[in-house]
């Protein structure tokens, strides 16, 4: 190991290798477990990443890529492995206003890239709570979703090209900025959403959109779940494709974020079972506001909406989003388990009710789970608050939440990924042939299993430890 560390030091510079307590001091994260890495390497170039992987592969030492370390599925856990932080590769390399593209290094923080695009009148559509720390490389590796998927898609939909380094040090330069490029297999897709198990993303070309000039935001109260899909379809139709957010908060979540010690206050006078944060982004300030108000007025008169508050200023808009983003309140009374699932809208209400009944039957002291999510994307976040999060209890709660999803054609992960936390449940969302093909891809690209070991795929004796 000492010889390997010395060789790696020659690659990245001895001051770019951290060991011992220096690792926690610099990199600790409240969101994700990091484990006890052998060392953290901070390469400054793609060539250095390639050299690190070549040396580590040859020595049979595992490598775990680190971005902003804000993931929620323990994808950064690096016990007995080298952690490879891309924080020195954080440059915005170029913005092409004519083509509408931005070229960035993987360690660039999402917010930095967004602000660089905005300075050119362009929008990088990806937006999520961790925007100030999540990196472009991490959001590609996890195919991040967030608040505007309804309008612009997930990270996968914004990646035109990327550069990635394979386990053996081969650099795959697939940086084509073309929107249309059907010349053979679309190799970049191998690395998007594979959580650093097939290669390490080092650079990317992302597609930008014209920055919207209008932003209309409201919170509405809804009496019955059955009104939510009707409201969603109405807004999609009446707003002419400008609807960018349809974020539903169950009363359980609304109550948490509008009562002290939370700083938020109820946006509506009455109390409703469901609240929806609605936003549209467009190109005509006066016309869009008129259309937005007319759509909500029609929804009110048709009974889909019981009450509505429209943001009249930036601070009112920010206060509305602050409610939706104040997820930390769910942990104010103790430990939580945060779930991130997908299922058809028609199945959501009975599913949530059944999970609630099941949890209450097994743990009678448990409060109702806090539920919210990107309903327009079929994505719910379900937060279970539990005093006891021992592995056995955690597993039992996971069984309750994940168990019904297979029959509903749902997914155990809508946007957070699999990491370590969900790999044992992968079979509920993916068939045996699909998982077998994932294993063949892993074996083909990383035959010695050195890249982010143990993540995504459950252990299989035919894969782990097998020699090429
Ligand atoms: Zn989310």
């Amino acid at each position: 190991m000492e010889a390997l560390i010395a060789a790696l030091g020659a690659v990245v510079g001895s001051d770019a290798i951290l060991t011992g307590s220096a690792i926690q001091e610099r990199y600790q994260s409240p969101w994700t477990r990091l484990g006890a890495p052998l060392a953290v390497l901070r390469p400054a170039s793609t060539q250095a990443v390639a050299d690190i992987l070549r040396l580590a592969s040859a020595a049979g030492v595992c490598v775990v890529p680190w971005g902003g370390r804000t993931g929620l599925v323990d994808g950064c856990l690096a016990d007995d492995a080298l952690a490879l932080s891309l924080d020195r590769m954080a440059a915005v390399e170029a913005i092409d206003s004519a083509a509408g593209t931005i070229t960035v290094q993987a360690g660039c923080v999402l917010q930095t890239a967004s602000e660089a695009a905005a300075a050119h009148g362009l929008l990088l559509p990806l937006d999520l709570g961790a925007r100030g720390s999540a990196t472009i490389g991490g959001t590609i590796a996890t195919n991040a979703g967030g608040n505007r998927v309804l309008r612009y898609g997930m990270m996968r939909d914004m990646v035109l090209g990327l550069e990635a380094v394979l386990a053996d040090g081969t650099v795959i330069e697939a940086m084509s900025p073309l929107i249309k490029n059907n010349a053979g297999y679309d190799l970049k897709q191998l690395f998007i959403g594979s959580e650093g198990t097939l290669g390490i993303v080092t650079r990317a070309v992302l597609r930008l959109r014209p920055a919207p000039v209008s932003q209309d935001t409201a919170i509405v109260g809804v009496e019955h779940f059955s009104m939510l899909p009707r409201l969603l379809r109405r807004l999609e139709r009446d707003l002419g494709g400008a609807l960018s957010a349809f974020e539903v908060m169950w009363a359980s979540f609304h109550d948490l974020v509008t009562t002290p010690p939370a700083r938020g206050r109820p946006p509506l006078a009455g109390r409703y079972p469901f609240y929806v944060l609605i936003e549209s982004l467009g190109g005509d300030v006066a016309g869009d506001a008129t259309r937005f108000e007319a759509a909500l007025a029609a929804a009110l008169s048709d009974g889909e909406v019981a009450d509505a508050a429209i943001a009249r200023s930036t601070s009112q808009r920010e206060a509305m989003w602050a409610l939706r983003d104040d997820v930390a309140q769910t942990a104010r009374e103790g430990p939580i388990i945060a779930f991130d699932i997908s299922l058809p809208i028609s199945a959501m209400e009975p599913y949530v009710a059944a999970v609630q009944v099941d949890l209450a039957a097994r743990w009678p002291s448990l409060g109702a789970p806090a539920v919210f999510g990107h309903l327009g994307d079929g994505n719910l976040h379900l937060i279970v608050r539990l005093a006891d999060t021992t592995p056995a209890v955690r597993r039992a709660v996971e069984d309750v939440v994940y168990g019904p999803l297979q029959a509903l054609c749902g997914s155990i992960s809508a946007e957070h990924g699999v990491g370590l936390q969900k790999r044992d449940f992968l079979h509920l969302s993916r068939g045996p042939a699909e998982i077998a093909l994932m294993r063949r891809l892993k074996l083909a690209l990383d035959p010695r299993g050195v890249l982010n070991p143990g993540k995504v795929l459950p252990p299989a004796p035919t894969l782990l430890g097998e020699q090429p």
Side-chain angles (χ1 to χ4, degrees):
M1 183 54 62
E2 272 174 34
L4 176 63
I5 295 284
L8 292 167
V11 169
V12 294
S14 55
D15 57 342
I17 297 186
L18 278 65
T19 54
S21 60
I23 294 175
Q24 285 297 329
E25 280 164 29
R26 185 177 187 102
Y27 289 105
Q28 65 172 330
S29 161
W31 298 105
T32 189
R33 292 189 297 151
L34 300 179
L38 300 168
V40 179
L41 309 172
R42 304 180 62 221
S45 68
T46 300
Q47 187 55 51
V49 174
D51 290 343
I52 289 167
L53 287 181
R54 190 171 40 75
L55 288 167
S57 270
V61 174
C62 295
V63 177
V64 177
W66 282 1
R69 306 170 315 288
T70 45
L72 298 171
V73 291
D74 289 332
C76 290
L77 195 77
D79 280 328
D80 300 320
L82 296 166
L84 193 153
S85 171
L86 290 138
D87 56 357
R88 288 174 74 205
M89 295 177 63
V92 174
E93 294 183 352
I95 292 179
D96 183 335
S97 297
T101 61
I102 184 170
T103 304
V104 288
Q105 291 184 311
C108 181
V109 170
L110 171 60
Q111 188 169 344
T112 305
S114 300
E115 288 171 359
H120 287 71
L122 293 164
L123 175 75
L124 173 56
L126 186 76
D127 185 49
L128 34 83
R131 61 184 75 77
S133 40
T135 63
I136 296 298
T139 52
I140 291 174
T142 56
N143 186 29
N147 295 333
R148 298 186 190 136
V149 174
L150 180 62
R151 171 87 180 269
Y152 298 103
M154 296 180 74
M155 191 54 165
R156 187 185 302 286
D157 299 292
M158 295 161 219
V159 179
L160 294 173
L162 57 72
E163 177 188 84
V165 183
L166 302 184
D168 65 1
T170 303
V171 177
I172 302 295
E173 184 148 357
M175 290 285 284
S176 165
L178 301 175
I179 291 171
K180 301 177 87 168
N181 182 4
N182 276 351
Y185 300 159
D186 191 354
L187 296 175
K188 66 176 181 283
Q189 301 296 352
L190 286 172
F191 307 103
I192 304 172
S194 55
E195 303 182 39
T197 61
L198 300 182
I200 295 181
V201 176
T202 44
R203 295 165 69 224
V205 188
L206 306 176
R207 185 178 189 178
L208 304 175
R209 304 287 177 163
V213 293
S214 77
Q215 186 171 9
D216 292 289
T217 311
I219 285 186
V220 302
V222 173
E223 292 282 10
H224 301 286
F225 188 91
S226 61
M227 295 298 168
L228 292 170
R230 287 171 53 178
L231 177 62
L232 171 63
R233 300 309 164 209
R234 171 195 294 279
L235 295 170
E236 285 183 315
R237 183 190 64 224
D238 290 3
L239 299 178
L243 182 68
S244 59
F246 192 85
E247 299 286 310
V248 174
M249 298 173 270
W250 266 242
S252 56
F253 181 82
H254 167 273
D255 293 352
L256 267 178
V257 298
T258 55
T259 50
R263 277 185 279 168
R265 291 296 168 262
L268 301 171
R271 191 171 181 282
Y272 302 95
F274 306 98
Y275 298 80
V276 193
L277 172 57
I278 296 163
E279 189 160 272
S280 94
L281 301 172
D284 171 9
V285 173
D288 290 338
T290 304
R291 203 172 301 120
F292 189 75
E293 288 191 30
L296 289 182
L300 269 163
S301 71
D302 285 356
E304 290 160 11
V305 165
D307 194 8
I310 296 179
R312 299 294 178 194
S313 65
T314 303
S315 64
Q316 285 183 3
R317 171 167 59 242
E318 286 171 356
M320 288 180 178
W321 273 107
L323 297 179
R324 165 60 185 80
D325 285 342
D326 198 7
V327 180
Q329 293 302 326
T330 60
R332 72 192 190 193
E333 283 157 14
I336 59 168
I337 308 179
F339 293 97
D340 156 49
I341 57 165
S342 266
L343 72 169
I345 288 182
S346 57
M348 280 182 183
E349 190 182 29
Y351 166 81
V352 170
V355 166
Q356 211 162 312
V357 167
D358 210 350
L359 289 173
R362 295 191 196 197
W363 296 279
S365 61
L366 203 65
V371 184
F372 61 101
H374 323 284
L375 196 101
D377 314 325
N379 176 190
L380 289 186
H381 296 310
L382 210 119
I383 312 279
V384 178
R385 286 161 285 166
L386 264 189
D388 178 357
T389 49
T390 53
V393 171
R394 188 187 173 94
R395 179 65 190 226
V397 172
E398 288 171 336
D399 284 336
V400 168
V401 173
Y402 293 138
L405 291 175
Q406 189 173 21
L408 298 171
C409 298
S411 174
I412 58 161
S413 175
E415 58 181 3
H416 294 171
V418 175
L420 275 183
Q421 287 190 9
K422 301 185 184 182
R423 61 178 194 177
D424 291 348
F425 299 94
L426 189 63
H427 66 282
L428 294 176
S429 295
R430 299 290 198 173
E434 282 183 294
I435 293 177
L437 179 55
M438 289 184 199
R439 290 196 193 287
R440 284 163 66 186
L441 286 170
K442 173 72 174 170
L443 198 55
L445 271 73
D446 181 17
R448 304 191 71 176
V450 297
L451 274 177
N452 213 3
K455 314 299 171 15
V456 182
L457 294 167
T462 52
L463 179 65
L464 294 182
E466 187 168 292
Q467 296 299 306

